[in-house]
Amino acid sequence: MRSLLASLCLTTAAVAALPAPAFARAAEASPLAERHAFNIPEQDMASALLALSQQSDVRILFPYDEVAAFKGRRIQGWLTTDEALGRLMAGRPLKLTVTGDRAVAIASTLARSARTRPAVTQLADASGAGSGRLMLAAFQAASTPPAATEEADAIIVTGTRVTNRTVADSLAPIDVLSAKDMEASGKQSVRDLLGTLVPSINVSNNGAGASWAVRTLSLRGLGGDQLLMLVNGKRRHNTATLFINGSVQNGQSPPDFDLIPGNAIERVEVLRDGASAQYGSDAIAGVVNVIMKSGTSGGASVQFGSYYETGGDQGRFQIDKGIAIGDGGHLHVSIDGAMQNNTITQSSPIAGQFYPTVNGAADPREAGVDRYKAKYGQPEVLGGNISYDAALPVTDAIEIYGFGTFSKRHAAGWLTYRTPMAANNILQVFPEGYIPRIHVYDLDYQFAGGVRGDGPAGSHFDLSTTYSRDRVKYIHTTSLNASLGPASPTTFYLGLVRSTEWTTNLDLTKEFDLGLADPLSIAIGAEYRENSFAIGAGDPSSYIDGGYRSPAGTFRAGELRTAGAQGVTGFLPSGSGKWDRNNWSAYINLEQTITEGFEVALAGRHEDYSDFGTTDTGKASIRIEPIRGFALRGTASTGFRAPTLQQQHYASSSTIGVPVNGVNVLLPVQALPVDSAAALALGSTPLKPEKSTNFSGGIVLTPVPALNITVDAYQIKIKDRILLSETLSGTLVRQVLAAANIPGVAGGFYFSNAADTRTRGLDIVSTYRARMGDLGNATISLSANFNKTVFTSIDPIPTVLAASGLVLVGRAKQGDFTKGTPRNKFIANVLWNKDAFSANFRATRYGKITQVASGMVLHNADNVACVAGSAGCVLSYVDEVVKPKVILDLELGYAVNQGVKVSVGANNLLNIYPTKLQPVNQVVGNLYNGYAPYGISGGLYYARVNFSF
């Protein structure tokens, strides 16, 4: 790491020494000449100027009272900022003055005597960290320009169909994270950014087998695929991979946030409220909407970093640029490339005998064997993402548009060490044992295109279609199929999974003036979606039982060996195939301001699935602001999530730790499709959709102009929740698996709708922006989430399982949902700027987490493994507790010159690790608890250079 940091310092010094014109030449052009895709509806002039500021990233200072009386015209299309301002101000007694870099002032041309009282000046500011801001200050016209003291939030497009709603007046809680938030966070992915900045989001950092390459998000303690992801308001596809053998996100196939270039993002909107009635299936917990860049500006960055103790050198290069196309069109392209080496964290010694005895005596190598063989940590990753966003007007009122992403990624990681004398090793192949290494090759793309614009009678339409595909191939190296004996290969092709999604949408909006405070906004639309999922079988050597028995006179003579490739067994032909389904839906959305400070909204949706029938969902929202600076809001909604095709049909085997007779043993276990012969024999039933009921209520406070506080309480009830069962093992299961021709597998699990859950919680978000004069400016935020999930009902155990003493939803599965994520999470963040300097300091406290044991193990009072019958040895459950931890992040930045900024920082500054496992649970080298949302690799330290042009 020292050599890497030294090279970073040299690189930083070299960049700092470069003259400003080398990078700033393109930035010297007037910001008013930059072209942007404007979409500003007809509204009052003050709101129109705010929207123009946010869409052009230009600050606009104007006298509020003198502007408020004017009506702002509709501005739409690809224009320069100067052209957009000209159209908006045409025919008005207003004049424009450029006051600084990316700042203009608008003043009245009326005589001073016409003004009857001091002006109220409004600053539309979209340049700060976070989001576009609205600030007010009363001042005498003859005085010096005042500091901005009151702010409002960015225009949002998520959770609403109107075009001028802000975060502050949203009817449901929503967070807006800008590109500058991502840059200052030091995080390398959208997923980690959200987990860092949104208190109700946690990131899962563990998995096993073929699924560890996918990291998932949990919003309000729910599953990764109970959170809907949109890109530019269009549904994003889920990954083809099923997250399995991990922890709280078991059985999920969520969207893969890592496959969107971080530098392609203008902002991210996180709706923390159920929205199935607005967006359809999956939006039970909420919605994440990624808005892509569409402007003509550009940038580039280079970042290098390394973990303090565990290696994992990593680097990322990003570049993006927008250009004008034709008459009013645009194209913005972003490229993102990243590499990361494996981290290898500290492990525990692997107990037990390594080598066979020699003539009845211990092998001499046993005394000096290195027992620290495990290589747990983050995977090696090499990947690249490309995205584009484009639009082209075809008339003054209509444009065609398109956007898309394309990604390739190769991830490779070490699995669990196999000792030389293990039944799943062949001494002639690996005399010192081995660690299987799995390689995951991901090819993913999504392309969208459509036409949108103004229709007759003031209506607006958007017709679009989106196609996506994710294909994942799996390969094993340094593995073997012990049942093939010494002739076993050590590299295996395990097969592939592939999913596709094709979605077509028509959205129509129109406003009707009913004589109330604002017009009634009506949106109606329809959607048709086709999904497919396929599994391709692996090479026969990756799954067959070769029947090898060691010859007489050799180690394990006459003993049958473990079948299938070690680590992850190849997909069987019997479990391979292709499945598909389609559904259509229609929705209506109404939003109305009844009187000043009193708003309501209603939404309804009908869905019709080819395999699950129909469902209807609805949502009602209200917001009351009895006095300025204090508002109440609340929502009630029903939700729906259909089982994914992966949950219905995924079939694969991997090796995990299973308690057997009080001892944790590595055994292969199989995921069983619910309609397979084996699952049916073990009591499975066809999956049903999940249905939810959501209630939320909150307050919005602005006690002083620069301080904003929101507090939102919520309850989410889910009926027929789709769960992956406990690992089923024992004589009955082995007999069922053998009868189904699934060789060499000791256990299995399948999905069911076996329980109902209830989640309750509280979100608190507060932000204060301090103007400190000569000391600069600071944005201080404090936020928290409190969350608790309980099981309200668990279905009776299927008779066939109960007769063998097995359960579907046991204590471990219940524990994952009720205790497997932090009960609370607190985030304190300070972002400070002064001239060319900036600093971002963040402290995150994760509450207590408990990993509930699935089976009882033999242990003594010190939780050390023991032999049955020995003194003090008992058989009981040993749960693991991840104690609360505070993780500190820090980034320091300096703008070397115009267009060049150098930053250094640390994620997990103090190199904090999770709580260590109890000795009895330190199986095959595990030391740290993988349930921790901040991972087991320690502190990451990095340097970055940003260029803007």
Side-chain angles (χ1 to χ4, degrees), residues 509-533:
T509 60
K510 186 175 177 2
E511 292 186 345
F512 295 88
D513 192 348
L514 303 181
L516 299 174
D518 284 327
L520 169 67
S521 173
I522 299 181
I524 59 174
E527 175 181 285
Y528 178 78
R529 186 167 74 248
E530 293 183 354
N531 291 88
S532 74
F533 175 65

Side-chain angles (χ1 to χ4, degrees), residues 256-452:
D256 194 334
F257 286 81
D258 291 343
L259 300 183
I260 296 178
N263 60 326
I265 297 172
E266 180 70 29
R267 69 183 188 276
V268 180
E269 300 181 0
V270 182
L271 176 63
R272 292 179 275 116
D273 194 45
S276 293
Q278 295 162 294
Y279 297 105
S281 179
D282 304 344
I284 288 179
V287 178
V288 173
N289 190 8
V290 174
I291 308 300
M292 300 176 71
K293 293 178 180 177
S294 59
T296 56
S297 60
S301 67
V302 180
Q303 178 169 317
F304 296 100
S306 182
Y307 288 88
Y308 184 68
E309 296 175 314
T310 57
D313 296 346
Q314 57 182 247
R316 183 176 290 265
F317 170 76
Q318 296 180 325
I319 186 169
D320 70 279
K321 183 68 175 77
I323 59 173
I325 297 178
D327 183 14
H330 77 273
L331 172 65
H332 198 106
V333 177
S334 303
I335 300 174
D336 172 24
M339 58 76 60
Q340 171 185 291
N341 288 331
N342 284 104
T343 60
I344 299 178
T345 193
Q346 181 185 358
S347 62
S348 62
I350 298 173
Q353 185 178 342
F354 271 47
Y355 303 101
T357 57
V358 179
N359 297 323
D363 189 302
R365 295 174 294 175
E366 202 74 51
V369 66
D370 177 14
R371 295 186 176 274
Y372 294 90
K373 297 283 191 180
K375 295 183 179 181
Y376 299 117
Q378 296 295 321
E380 176 186 358
V381 179
L382 178 64
N385 304 314
I386 300 174
S387 72
Y388 70 91
D389 185 281
L392 182 66
V394 292
T395 70
D396 289 341
I398 298 175
E399 69 174 3
I400 57 174
Y401 67 92
F403 59 89
T405 62
F406 178 86
S407 304
K408 291 190 72 173
R409 179 178 62 194
H410 170 210
W414 300 104
L415 301 182
T416 306
Y417 175 71
R418 274 73 168 161
T419 63
M421 64 176 296
N424 49 23
N425 184 37
I426 299 296
L427 286 169
Q428 297 93 318
V429 181
F430 292 114
E432 297 297 325
Y434 63 100
I435 304 178
R437 186 166 175 81
I438 189 168
H439 301 258
V440 181
Y441 296 88
D442 211 317
L443 177 65
D444 181 280
Y445 59 80
Q446 179 165 0
F447 302 112
V451 57
R452 61 193 172 202

Side-chain angles (χ1 to χ4, degrees), residues 493-688:
Y493 171 67
L494 304 176
L496 63 83
V497 291
R498 182 180 65 249
S499 65
T500 65
E501 184 169 281
W502 188 6
T503 306
T504 300
N505 295 88
L506 174 63
D507 301 293
L508 304 170
T509 60
K510 186 175 177 2
E511 292 186 345
F512 295 88
D513 192 348
L514 303 181
L516 299 174
D518 284 327
L520 169 67
S521 173
I522 299 181
I524 59 174
E527 175 181 285
Y528 178 78
R529 186 167 74 248
E530 293 183 354
N531 291 88
S532 74
F533 175 65
I535 297 176
D539 290 337
S541 60
S542 70
Y543 57 78
I544 63 172
D545 185 349
Y548 174 76
R549 296 175 184 267
S550 299
T554 64
F555 179 61
R556 294 188 182 274
E559 184 177 324
L560 277 173
R561 296 305 187 89
T562 307
Q566 279 298 297
V568 177
T569 301
F571 291 105
L572 297 169
S574 59
S576 301
K578 182 181 179 182
W579 304 269
D580 54 51
R581 73 166 173 227
N582 62 77
N583 74 289
W584 67 268
S585 61
Y587 75 87
I588 184 170
N589 191 88
L590 309 175
E591 296 184 49
Q592 175 70 68
T593 300
I594 307 296
T595 62
E596 185 71 24
F598 180 31
E599 301 175 74
V600 295
L602 296 172
R605 192 180 191 96
H606 175 81
E607 303 245 6
D608 190 329
Y609 280 78
S610 60
D611 51 355
F612 290 110
T614 63
T615 187
D616 296 301
T617 55
K619 182 174 183 177
S621 306
I622 186 171
R623 184 181 188 275
I624 303 173
E625 188 172 4
I627 59 174
R628 177 174 287 275
F630 174 77
L632 302 171
R633 63 189 180 191
T635 67
S637 65
T638 57
F640 168 89
R641 188 183 77 83
T644 65
L645 291 171
Q646 290 93 318
Q647 290 173 329
Q648 292 177 276
H649 302 290
Y650 187 85
S652 177
S653 173
S654 55
T655 305
I656 63 173
V658 178
V660 177
N661 297 324
V663 179
N664 279 308
V665 181
L666 276 179
L667 292 173
V669 295
Q670 178 83 17
L672 304 171
V674 293
D675 60 353
S676 66
L680 291 171
L682 294 173
S684 72
T685 57
L687 292 179
K688 299 178 291 185

Side-chain angles (χ1 to χ4, degrees), residues 155-344:
I155 298 290
I156 58 172
V157 297
T158 309
T160 180
R161 303 287 179 177
V162 301
T163 57
N164 59 352
R165 189 172 297 284
T166 68
V167 173
D169 61 20
S170 172
L171 278 69
I174 190 167
D175 303 298
V176 177
L177 309 176
S178 71
K180 293 183 179 180
D181 289 321
M182 175 172 285
E183 178 184 318
S185 74
K187 300 300 182 181
Q188 293 223 44
S189 70
V190 180
R191 174 206 63 208
D192 290 334
L193 168 74
L194 294 174
T196 298
L197 299 183
V198 180
S200 54
I201 286 182
N202 286 293
V203 177
S204 175
N205 280 287
N206 70 323
S211 59
W212 52 258
V214 178
R215 307 299 190 205
T216 66
L217 291 181
S218 169
L219 175 62
R220 290 181 164 178
L222 299 185
D225 52 8
Q226 291 164 328
L227 172 66
L228 178 64
M229 183 178 183
L230 307 175
V231 176
N232 287 345
K234 309 300 181 185
R235 176 181 286 265
R236 178 75 175 181
H237 64 286
N238 291 4
T239 178
T241 298
L242 189 71
F243 191 84
I244 213 162
N245 299 340
S247 58
V248 294
Q249 297 301 311
N250 262 355
Q252 312 296 328
S253 295
D256 194 334
F257 286 81
D258 291 343
L259 300 183
I260 296 178
N263 60 326
I265 297 172
E266 180 70 29
R267 69 183 188 276
V268 180
E269 300 181 0
V270 182
L271 176 63
R272 292 179 275 116
D273 194 45
S276 293
Q278 295 162 294
Y279 297 105
S281 179
D282 304 344
I284 288 179
V287 178
V288 173
N289 190 8
V290 174
I291 308 300
M292 300 176 71
K293 293 178 180 177
S294 59
T296 56
S297 60
S301 67
V302 180
Q303 178 169 317
F304 296 100
S306 182
Y307 288 88
Y308 184 68
E309 296 175 314
T310 57
D313 296 346
Q314 57 182 247
R316 183 176 290 265
F317 170 76
Q318 296 180 325
I319 186 169
D320 70 279
K321 183 68 175 77
I323 59 173
I325 297 178
D327 183 14
H330 77 273
L331 172 65
H332 198 106
V333 177
S334 303
I335 300 174
D336 172 24
M339 58 76 60
Q340 171 185 291
N341 288 331
N342 284 104
T343 60
I344 299 178

